[in-house]
Amino acid sequence: MAAFPTKALKRDDTRLIIHFDYDCFYAAVFEKEDPKLRYLPLAVQQKQIIVTCNYEARRQGLHKLQRVTEARKTCPNAIIMLGEDLTRFRNASKENYDFLKRFAWSGRAERLGFDEVFIDVTDMVDYNLEMLNSHTLQSSFFHLSRNDPTLGFAFDCSNIAGDVVPENQTVTDTAMGQATSSLYIRLLLGSHLAQHLRYQLEEHQGYSSTVGISTSKLISKLVGNVNKPKGQTTLLPPYTSSDHGESNITLFLDEHDIGKIPGIGFKTAQKIRGHVLAHPAAIDHGLVYGGTEENVKVRDVRLFPSMGVEVLEKLLGGSGSPKDIAIRVWSLINGIDTSEVGRAREVPQQISIEDSYIRLDAMAEVERELKLLSRSLLSRMRIDLSCVEEHEDMLGERRGTERATNGNRSSRQWLAYPKTLRLTTRPRPARNPDGTRSRTFNRISRSCDMPPLVLNLSSSIEDQSEVLVRETLIPLFHKLHPEKSGWDLSLMNLCAASISLTAASSKDGAGRDISKMLKLQQRVLKDWKVEEPNAEELDAPPVSIYPANFGEGAVEAVENKPLVATKDTFLVADSQDEATSETYENDNIWESDDEVPGLGYTCTKCGLAVPDFAITAHERFHDLPD
C-alpha cells in the first residue's frame, strides 16, 4: 500500500502565532503574593500530588507529579502550599490573558488552561513588514498601533530576538528564495514582538513566561518548550522540503516522541506505537499517572514502511471515530496544523467543575461531594456570567421627591445563561489479576435542562445547591449508576453547558428575566415533554456496565488524573505545567485525547461520537424499551 504523499497536505505559513507558557504558574502566583518565596524551594500540592514547583525546588530534586510524601523526603525544607482552591490562579490567569489579548489586533487570543495563551499577530507583523525600512534595519521601530505612530518600541531588525532552532543555522542559510526570505523576516519581526510582550508581562503583571514563535499553534507550542524557563525560541525556515534539504519542521518534529505531539492523545499514541513496534507498548506502572516505557519517535512513524493515511485509517478508525482522524494525525506527524487561534470571548461557552477521589462508593459521600461541586459551579456562574447593572429606581421616579433618596440602585443581571446541566463520572476499573489497574480516561454522562431555580440571583447559593442536588443531580446520578450494580468513582464533574448571551449583554439591550422566562417555558411545554423512563419502569432489568467485584480491594493513593483533553476540558494533561480540577470549554481545543473536536461525548453503549446538543436525545434512544 502506497503511503499518502506528504505534498498533498496543505500548509499555511502565512500566519504568525506566538505561544506563551507562564513559568511554574501556580508557584509564581504564590511568589507574587509573597516575594520572599521566590528564593526558597516552593511546591504546590493538589490532593497528594505536587502539581508544580519553582526552579529552586527543582534544583533540590523536586519535580512535577511527585507524591507529597516523596517530595518531603527529597527536600525536607521545601515549602508546600495547598493549591486546591483555584480562585487565585483563575484570577491571575484572567488578568494575564486580558493584558496579552490587547495586542491581538484581530481579536484572536486563545487561552489553553490557566497558564498558556496563543496570540495570532499576523496582521500586526504584516503591517510592520510594510513599514520596515531596509536601509535602517538596526534602528527599526515596531508599531503597536495603526493609528498612533508613536506607540511601539525600537529594535534591531538585523538580528532575530532570542534563541532559534536549528541553533547552527545562520541567516544566509535561509536565503534560498523569495518565499523563504520573506518568511524569515516575518518570523524575525514576530520574535521581537514576542520579546517585547514577554518583558511587558513580567514588568507589569509580575509573571515570567516561555515563548515559542512559528506559523502554527502546533509548532509554536512545541518550539517554545526548547528553552525553559524565561526563554523564547523561533523555528527558522525553510518550512518545506526542497532540493537544498529537508524541512526544518520535519527535522524538528522527528526527534519528538509520538505521544508528545499535541493533538495525539495517549490512546492514539499507544495504537501507533503498537503498530510500529509490532507489539503493545509496555506501560510504566511506576509512574503516578502511568506512561509508556517504550518510546517511538515521529521519524519512526513517518518513515515506517507503507505508513500513511490509509494505514492510520485502519489503525485508528472504527465505530465512534471521526472520519478524518487519519488525515488529522498524519498531518500533525508532518507538522501541518491549520487550526486557528480562537477569538477572545466575553463569556465561556460552558463552565465545568470537577474533582478526583481516592475512593467514592457510598451515596452519602456522593451527595456531600455533589453539594460541594454544585456550590462551586453556581458561584462560578454568578462570577463569569452575570454583572452588576446600574439602573433607575422606577418607584422613586413615580414618587417624585423620593427619587432623590432612592436615586439609582444596582442589581446583578445575567449576561449569559446555560441551557444544559451535565453530570459526568469516571468509574474506577476493577483490579487486574496481578493487582494493578488498567489506565482509563473513560467517562459517562447524563444531561438535562438547566433548572430555572439556579438563575434566581436573589436566593443564596447554599439554598440553591441543596435543591439542585436533591431534585436534579441525585436523580441524574441514579440513572448513571443504578445502586444494584455498585460503583466506585475516581472523578465527578458538573458542567453548565450551552451558554447563550442574553439581551442584557448587549449595550442597548434592556435585559430579560431569564428565570421567569424558563419557568414559563416549562409550564407551556410540560404536556409535550418526553420524560426519561426509570430503570424500574423498563421491561428488562437494568444491566450493569461494571464487573461484579467493582470497588473491591485496596485503592492506590492517587491514580487516573482528571486532566483529559476532551471537549469538556479547557486544560489538557501531559504537556501542562499545572494540574487543575476546574475546566472551561474552548471552541478551538486542538489538543485532545482521542476525542473528536466538536463531539464532546462518546456513548459507552454503542461507541458513537455524539455532539453536545444531541446527548440527551441519544440517551433517551437507549432508554426506550425494545
Side-chain angles (χ1 to χ4, degrees), residues 292-310:
T292 179
E293 288 183 336
E294 299 178 275
N295 293 326
V296 173
K297 293 186 176 181
V298 170
R299 180 196 299 109
D300 302 327
V301 179
R302 186 173 59 83
L303 300 180
F304 192 77
S306 300
M307 179 59 72
V309 173
E310 295 86 353

Side-chain angles (χ1 to χ4, degrees), residues 99-116:
F99 179 84
L100 289 174
K101 74 179 182 182
R102 296 181 302 160
F103 297 93
W105 288 358
S106 63
R108 294 196 175 277
E110 177 183 344
R111 239 188 339 172
L112 185 65
F114 283 170
D115 63 337
E116 296 186 51

Side-chain angles (χ1 to χ4, degrees), residues 80-136:
I80 301 180
M81 308 292 288
L82 188 61
E84 294 191 12
D85 181 359
L86 302 178
T87 303
R88 51 166 52 93
F89 310 128
R90 182 193 309 110
N91 294 340
S93 175
K94 187 176 186 302
E95 290 174 1
N96 289 344
Y97 174 70
D98 290 341
F99 179 84
L100 289 174
K101 74 179 182 182
R102 296 181 302 160
F103 297 93
W105 288 358
S106 63
R108 294 196 175 277
E110 177 183 344
R111 239 188 339 172
L112 185 65
F114 283 170
D115 63 337
E116 296 186 51
V117 173
F118 291 102
I119 301 181
D120 189 327
V121 294
T122 304
D123 45 5
M124 186 183 291
V125 167
D126 289 345
Y127 177 80
N128 279 274
L129 182 60
E130 295 177 359
M131 302 293 290
L132 195 63
N133 187 340
S134 60
H135 300 291
T136 59

Side-chain angles (χ1 to χ4, degrees), residues 18 20 95 118 173 197 307 326 456 517 589 608:
I18 303 175
F20 291 84
E95 290 174 1
F118 291 102
D173 293 332
L197 297 184
M307 179 59 72
N456 184 354
M517 184 185 71
I589 287 182
L608 183 66

